[in-house]
């Protein structure tokens, strides 16, 4: 187990692409930290820098307090799981799991014991004699996970490990990874572009955009108190409503943007004091709830309504909200006020 610390870590690729612009982050021993953000924001580069697969252009990287800037990946005692499984096609599952230990020169008996233990942990016992091509995508990803586990590294790095799986399997494996982290109590750093994965898995989430950290916080805090408009818009489905004060009938000027989550808007049919009036624009039944888009003075606000909500397009509705729960952002800088 280990702490990982990044101090003003930078990466400039050849040709001048600045992929990581000074990231500072301390990951505690046993913590589950996700790096999340849109494609190209520098997540994989940051992870590769921690792993030692890329050289730093600046800054300091420490594992367990020791500077590792110039250590090779092997010397860092880190295991990485990628989106593509990269299993050895000609080896069966048992050998794929054993191989990282064979390379280390471990004894046969120890290797067999470790492989058995990991196979049990991941439910791979019945698949040990199969080749990768005889496995489903989910099973292959489990073997890739197992290959990281056998070495018992100090730190686990994951780069979008579930992105190749279909939606149902992704949700299942997501749960398995969370349980695995609970069991191992090891340090996990997990890259994903998927806000739901980052929220459900992590102790803390690092939100990145264009090579820079936007906010580091536990999932609930990111959702309730986003540091800026980017973070506010990235988390939550449906997205947060961002509106001008005048849409809500408030006297503030247009230098402020107001944020209101869809679950903070209550749809009522009757006219209540302080409620907004609008007309139903779109109803999207999702099963347990419905997403209802309401046209209020030309702006669209999305509200969460019960699953059985029914209303004809164009019918008048009222939206109630608690003004105390409005989030305020500076329209220019995007920062929370
Ligand atoms: N080997 C490379 N050479 C040059 N530019 C790269 C290289 N790898 C990534 N980049 C660029 O660095 C930026 C960050 O990429 P990456 O870390 O892969 O983003 P993410 O994983 O968040 O999608 C992107 O603009 C990407 O095009
Ligand atoms: Mg990536």
């Amino acid at each position: 187990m280990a702490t990982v610390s990044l101090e003003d870590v930078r990466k400039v690729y050849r040709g001048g692409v600045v992929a990581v612009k000074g990231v500072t982050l301390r990951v505690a021993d046993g913590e589950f930290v996700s790096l999340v953000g849109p494609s190209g924001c520098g997540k994989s580069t940051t992870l590769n820098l921690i792993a030692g697969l890329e050289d730093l252009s600046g800054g300091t990287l420490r594992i367990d307090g020791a500077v590792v800037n110039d250590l090779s990946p092997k010397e860092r005692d880190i295991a990485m799981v990628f989106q593509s499984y990269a299993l050895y096609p000609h080896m069966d599952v048992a050998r794929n799991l054993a191989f990282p230990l064979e390379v280390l020169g471990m004894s046969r008996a120890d290797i067999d014991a470790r492989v058995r233990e990991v196979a049990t942990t991941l439910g791979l016992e019945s698949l040990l004699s199969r080749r990768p091509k005889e496995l489903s995508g989910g099973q292959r990803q489990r073997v890739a996970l197992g290959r990281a586990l056998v070495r018992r590294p100090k730190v686990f790095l994951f780069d979008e490990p579930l992105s190749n799986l279909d939606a149902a399997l992704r949700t299942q494996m997501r749960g398995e990874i969370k349980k695995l982290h609970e069991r191992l109590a090891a340090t996990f750093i997990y890259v994903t572009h998927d806000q739901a994965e980052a929220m459900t898995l992590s102790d803390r989430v690092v939100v990145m955009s264009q090579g820079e950290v936007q906010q580091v916080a536990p999932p609930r805090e990111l959702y309730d108190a986003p540091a800026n408009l980017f973070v506010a818009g990235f988390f939550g489905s449906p997205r947060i409503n961002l509106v001008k004060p005048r849409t809500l009938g408030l006297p503030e000027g247009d230098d402020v943007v107001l944020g209101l989550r869809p679950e903070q808007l209550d749809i009522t049919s009757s006219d209540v004091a302080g409620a907004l009036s609008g007309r139903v624009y779109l109803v999207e039944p999702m099963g347990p709830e419905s997403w209802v888009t309401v046209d209020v003075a030309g702006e669209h606000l999305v509200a969460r309504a019960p699953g059985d909500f029914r209303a004809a397009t164009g019918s008048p509705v009222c939206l109630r909200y608690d003004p105390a729960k409005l989030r305020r952002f500076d329209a220019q800088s995007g920062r929370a006020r």
Side-chain angles (χ1 to χ4, degrees):
M1 284 193 269
T3 60
V4 176
S5 112
L6 288 74
E7 268 163 49
D8 199 22
V9 160
R10 298 173 171 277
K11 179 66 185 180
V12 184
Y13 284 111
R14 249 175 297 150
V17 179
V18 187
V20 178
K21 299 179 187 165
V23 168
T24 295
L25 172 71
R26 282 189 181 76
V27 182
D29 184 23
E31 195 177 17
F32 196 130
V33 167
S34 291
L35 308 182
V36 71
S39 177
C41 73
K43 308 178 295 289
S44 294
T45 302
T46 305
L47 206 68
N48 291 341
L49 290 169
I50 298 171
L53 300 174
E54 295 282 357
D55 292 327
L56 282 89
S57 309
T60 309
L61 189 68
R62 288 190 172 83
I63 297 176
D64 258 351
V67 176
V68 297
N69 284 31
D70 298 321
L71 293 189
S72 71
K74 257 198 216 151
E75 294 167 309
R76 296 187 189 196
D77 199 8
I78 269 174
M80 194 146 170
V81 182
F82 296 95
Q83 174 178 351
S84 56
Y85 325 111
L87 301 176
Y88 302 109
H90 57 287
M91 296 181 189
D92 63 16
V93 170
R95 187 84 204 290
N96 262 287
L97 292 175
F99 194 72
L101 303 178
E102 290 172 11
V103 171
L104 292 177
M106 195 182 268
S107 79
R108 194 72 247 167
D110 288 347
I111 292 177
D112 288 345
R114 287 261 187 112
V115 168
R116 235 176 297 121
E117 182 194 306
V118 166
T120 311
T121 302
L122 295 172
L124 293 169
E125 300 102 317
S126 61
L127 305 174
L128 286 171
S129 57
R130 294 217 201 150
R131 300 250 174 122
K133 69 168 190 292
E134 297 160 340
L135 301 174
S136 70
Q139 291 166 335
R140 267 180 232 156
Q141 192 52 284
R142 217 167 271 148
V143 177
L145 212 54
R147 219 168 40 171
L149 286 182
V150 282
R151 279 177 34 215
R152 296 187 188 155
K154 283 185 184 172
V155 180
F156 289 87
L157 305 180
F158 299 86
D159 194 348
E160 312 237 13
L162 308 184
S163 294
N164 277 346
L165 307 178
D166 64 54
L169 196 53
R170 210 155 59 215
T171 311
Q172 185 200 331
M173 289 289 290
R174 188 176 81 192
E176 288 183 23
I177 288 178
K178 186 159 185 168
K179 296 308 287 179
L180 190 65
H181 177 255
E182 282 179 12
R183 206 164 335 135
L184 297 177
T187 308
F188 278 34
I189 304 178
Y190 189 100
V191 160
T192 177
H193 65 275
D194 179 349
Q195 50 119 1
E197 252 174 52
M199 293 270 263
T200 51
L201 286 170
S202 320
D203 296 314
R204 284 188 306 154
V205 179
V206 179
V207 189
M208 293 183 70
S209 169
Q210 298 184 5
E212 286 178 305
V213 172
Q214 302 296 310
Q215 190 170 3
V216 182
R220 192 71 222 173
E221 193 180 319
L222 279 183
Y223 191 75
D224 288 341
N228 57 38
L229 285 172
F230 178 85
V231 177
F234 195 80
F235 293 91
S237 179
R239 273 166 65 96
I240 191 170
N241 295 294
L242 297 171
V243 293
K244 296 191 177 96
R246 92 171 86 92
T247 306
L248 303 186
L250 297 174
E252 288 157 277
D254 277 353
D255 56 330
V256 175
V257 175
L258 301 172
L260 199 52
R261 297 277 180 201
E263 58 274 24
Q264 294 169 342
L265 284 168
D266 247 346
I267 301 186
T268 63
S269 48
S270 55
D271 209 354
V272 207
L276 305 166
S277 14
R279 289 186 181 275
V280 172
Y281 176 78
L282 181 68
V283 180
E284 296 168 279
M286 304 298 293
E289 62 181 19
S290 297
W291 298 355
V292 183
T293 308
V294 179
D295 188 314
V296 178
E299 276 202 73
H300 285 173
L301 299 184
V302 179
R304 279 186 206 275
D308 60 0
F309 180 87
R310 297 268 180 290
T313 300
S315 54
V317 285
C318 282
L319 291 173
R320 268 190 308 191
Y321 66 95
D322 178 356
K325 293 201 170 142
L326 285 173
R327 293 259 141 220
R328 287 185 162 67
F329 301 92
D330 189 289
Q332 207 91 63
S333 69
R335 268 186 228 116
R337 289 194 170 183

